[in-house]
Amino acid sequence: MGAGATATGGGTAAAYGHLVDPNRKWYNNRRIIFLNFWILLLLITSSTNGYDGSMMNGLQSLPQWDGYFGHPTGGKLGLLNAIQNIGSLAAYPISPYMADGLGRRTSIFIGAFIMCIATAVQTASTSVGMFIGARFLIGFGLTFAACAAPMLVTEISYPVYRAQLTSTYNSLWYSGAIVAAWSTFGSFKILNTWSWRLPSVLQAVPSVFQVALIFFAPESPRWLISKGRDDQALKTLAYYHADGNEQDPLVQYEFQEIKAAINLDKDVAAKVGWKTLFATPGNRKRMNIIIALAFFSQWSGNGLVSYYLTKVFITIGIVDPTIQLLINGILQIWNLFWALLAASLVDKVGRRLLFLTSVGGMIIFFTLQTACSAVYANTGNKAAANSVIAFIFLFYGSYDLAFTPLIVSYTVEILPYALRAKGFTVFNFAISLSLIFNQYVNPIALEKLQWKYYIVYCCFLCFEAVFLYFFVIETKNRTLEETAALFDGEESVEQITAAAHGHDEKDEKSSGSFHEQKV
């Protein structure tokens, strides 16, 4: 794929932009407001994941937790962090079959229920073994919810807001991180084991809401059509996208396009297996990008701060737990701001520009962070230590432009329906592998190499920049079905849009709708 590869064609604007009611907005239409409420219930799955990472960061600064579990360091500390991802690995072979077989909502319910049990065990832990077992279960349950939730977000969103909402999914990782960072900061003053048990209790809150409410949320129309429940799918689309009007041109366009895409993939779906992900040139392109993004999202230097910020602080002489926790809490708010800002821009500036700007900024600021760390290590210069903190913030601002909002939304949008659950599972599997490596290797490497370990990430970031420049395809202003078909050639796109346009033209001739006609 050549440099600067972009999606051609008019995309959404040409496909059904003229069918969207300009007066139907997210803030003034009751059905869309309700739909977005259910989407928020799905988005908090990412908050649960973010809470866990930030909580473990915070707990390492709590003397009460550190002392209770015998001052873990090196491999033992790595295991306490990595075990959640090991739990995720155990669930990956099952999760796509559950999401495709039982439905997106059922998969989320099962995952959330397991997490409720796991956080109770974690809170009640009286030994390292019990704490590790609970964290394994958290990872196991989280996989079922995290596999299905972003797919359901992208499959039920009102088309105008799909890209922003799906990009918000991973951005809300930081909402959980903020709650965890500030709850550990507040509980620091509790002089007994509740200083770490209280943050553990709070980790269950999103899962409790999901267990209670998930079956009131709409099921994916794409999943319903794939199971032959076309009438129910049409009713769902009409209820939330057109105030219940099943003959609305936008609803009919969406319905026919989804049916056309699923029918086109029927032969694949009937015999889809893990090998199918790599069976065609289009699928291989998808998986190369997806797997690369998964590893890039964790191997860009961010893994050092996400799980071992305390260790990074120690290398620059910041050893006061109060200061460590305070910086961690402020950093998560900073991250959320940049991630949500980027999520709002995905359809305005495009995915490709965000990825390239992000990696360029990371190379600059991580290199400067490395240089200042070296100066402090060699001279003890306090200004250099303070500069490291500043460059950590600037590095994360760059990271959040693309690698927080886009890695999930870009992955699910380039996969066709028949491959979406399995492909997204491979993406999550690759993330878990990269995290396990990070969580085992980073504390050991930091202990042995100190700031010199940062040079490895400086080099890897340069490799990322080259890969992203040559391989990332622009997908803005495309429908979900058109975006997925891009990798299979323009003929595939035309087949899907022709089926939907055929219905669109019929509807416009027979409907007394307010929508403008094309001239």
Side-chain angles (χ1 to χ4, degrees):
M1 193 174 299
T6 58
T8 56
T12 301
Y16 61 68
H18 63 296
L19 301 177
V20 176
D21 183 349
N23 300 313
R24 188 178 287 140
K25 304 289 187 186
W26 65 268
Y27 53 82
N28 66 8
N29 184 275
R30 189 170 61 89
R31 298 282 175 89
I32 295 178
I33 290 170
F34 272 117
L35 176 61
N36 288 343
F37 170 79
W38 295 125
I39 288 172
L40 178 61
L41 183 70
L42 307 173
L43 295 176
I44 61 175
T45 306
S46 185
S47 302
T48 306
N49 201 7
Y51 188 100
D52 185 83
S54 186
M55 182 188 75
M56 286 305 297
N57 226 339
L59 293 185
Q60 291 170 59
S61 293
L62 293 179
Q64 300 92 320
W65 179 86
D66 193 52
Y68 192 85
F69 290 110
H71 308 286
T73 57
K76 187 177 179 183
L77 180 59
L79 179 61
L80 280 163
N81 278 313
I83 192 64
Q84 186 215 6
N85 289 294
I86 294 171
S88 294
L89 289 176
Y92 285 141
I94 314 165
S95 60
Y97 295 102
M98 188 176 291
D100 282 344
L102 301 179
R104 313 313 200 202
R105 295 182 307 174
T106 302
S107 187
I108 293 166
F109 175 83
I110 291 170
F113 186 76
I114 293 171
M115 283 190 283
C116 287
I117 295 170
T119 49
V121 175
Q122 180 178 264
T123 303
S125 291
T126 55
S127 66
V128 172
M130 192 172 173
F131 194 84
I132 288 172
R135 290 186 51 68
F136 177 92
L137 272 181
I138 287 171
F140 187 78
L142 181 61
T143 296
F144 296 120
C147 173
M151 292 193 294
L152 187 52
V153 170
T154 204
E155 290 168 0
I156 65 174
S157 294
Y158 191 63
V160 174
Y161 306 121
R162 176 185 61 80
Q164 294 94 324
L165 287 169
T166 313
S167 298
T168 299
Y169 175 83
N170 212 46
S171 302
L172 287 186
W173 192 96
Y174 290 120
S175 66
I178 288 168
V179 176
W182 288 102
S183 65
T184 50
F185 180 76
S187 66
F188 174 66
K189 303 297 182 187
I190 302 173
L191 300 177
N192 55 47
T193 59
W194 278 103
S195 61
W196 60 265
R197 294 188 198 275
L198 182 59
S200 183
V201 169
L202 293 175
Q203 188 173 4
V205 172
S207 300
V208 170
F209 278 113
Q210 289 182 326
V211 166
L213 298 173
I214 191 61
F215 286 115
F216 294 101
E219 183 54 273
S220 164
R222 289 162 178 83
W223 182 80
L224 293 169
I225 289 173
S226 75
K227 299 299 178 185
R229 292 156 65 176
D230 293 16
D231 289 346
Q232 193 178 341
L234 180 58
K235 281 183 171 61
T236 301
L237 286 169
Y239 184 88
Y240 287 106
H241 293 186
D243 297 320
N245 179 10
E246 294 182 12
Q247 299 309 313
D248 182 89
L250 172 63
V251 168
Q252 282 296 323
Y253 184 93
E254 289 184 278
F255 182 64
Q256 295 302 329
E257 186 180 52
I258 293 166
K259 282 180 67 178
I262 288 176
N263 286 335
L264 193 65
D265 287 338
K266 256 185 183 170
D267 290 339
V268 175
K271 53 189 176 185
V272 69
W274 295 102
K275 285 184 182 176
T276 315
L277 295 172
F278 303 93
T280 67
N283 288 348
R284 286 192 289 275
K285 284 180 191 175
R286 290 183 178 100
M287 297 314 298
N288 285 341
I289 294 170
I290 287 168
I291 292 170
L293 289 180
F295 280 96
F296 292 172
S297 72
Q298 304 305 321
W299 285 2
S300 297
N302 56 305
L304 293 171
V305 175
S306 293
Y307 283 88
Y308 297 106
L309 185 57
T310 302
K311 303 294 180 190
V312 173
F313 284 150
I314 290 169
T315 66
I316 55 172
I318 298 174
V319 294
D320 183 344
T322 304
I323 301 299
Q324 291 175 352
L325 290 165
L326 187 61
I327 294 172
N328 186 32
I330 296 169
L331 179 62
Q332 305 314 327
I333 295 171
W334 167 265
N335 284 333
L336 181 63
F337 168 78
W338 284 105
L340 291 177
L341 176 66
S344 71
L345 296 174
V346 290
D347 270 346
K348 291 186 178 72
V349 303
R351 284 70 158 159
R352 183 176 166 79
L353 181 58
L354 285 173
F355 272 121
L356 294 176
T357 304
S358 175
V359 75
M362 285 194 292
I363 289 170
I364 293 167
F365 297 125
F366 199 82
T367 303
L368 291 170
Q369 178 187 330
T370 303
C372 291
S373 297
V375 169
Y376 177 80
N378 293 325
T379 67
N381 187 305
K382 193 65 182 169
N386 292 335
S387 297
V388 170
I389 301 299
F391 288 129
I392 285 173
F393 275 77
L394 292 170
F395 165 84
Y396 258 98
S398 300
Y399 177 91
D400 293 330
L401 287 178
F403 286 90
T404 298
L406 288 181
I407 57 167
V408 169
S409 60
Y410 194 75
T411 295
V412 296
E413 73 183 6
I414 68 175
L415 287 163
Y417 176 81
L419 302 179
R420 192 166 292 142
K422 286 187 174 66
F424 190 52
T425 297
V426 171
F427 167 79
N428 284 318
F429 179 77
I431 282 187
S432 288
L433 286 181
S434 60
L435 279 171
I436 289 168
F437 174 88
N438 274 359
Q439 290 159 348
Y440 268 117
V441 173
N442 282 345
I444 297 167
L446 273 174
E447 199 173 315
K448 302 289 184 189
L449 301 176
Q450 301 282 310
W451 67 268
K452 297 181 187 72
Y453 183 49
Y454 299 166
I455 297 170
V456 174
Y457 288 108
C458 291
C459 297
F460 194 76
L461 281 166
C462 293
F463 166 73
E464 288 181 25
V466 174
F467 182 94
L468 293 171
Y469 181 78
F470 283 102
F471 289 100
V472 167
I473 294 177
E474 183 54 74
T475 60
K476 72 174 180 177
N477 295 327
R478 290 267 177 177
T479 70
L480 197 56
E481 278 65 38
E482 288 168 349
T483 297
L486 275 175
F487 290 80
D488 302 312
E490 285 299 322
E491 186 184 341
S492 179
V493 179
E494 286 163 13
Q495 279 183 270
I496 293 170
T497 52
H501 272 304
H503 235 276
D504 170 23
E505 286 167 12
K506 235 175 7 179
D507 285 338
E508 293 220 348
K509 286 173 185 172
S510 61
S511 168
S513 158
F514 57 83
H515 303 295
E516 290 182 359
Q517 302 287 327
K518 280 187 177 178
V519 227

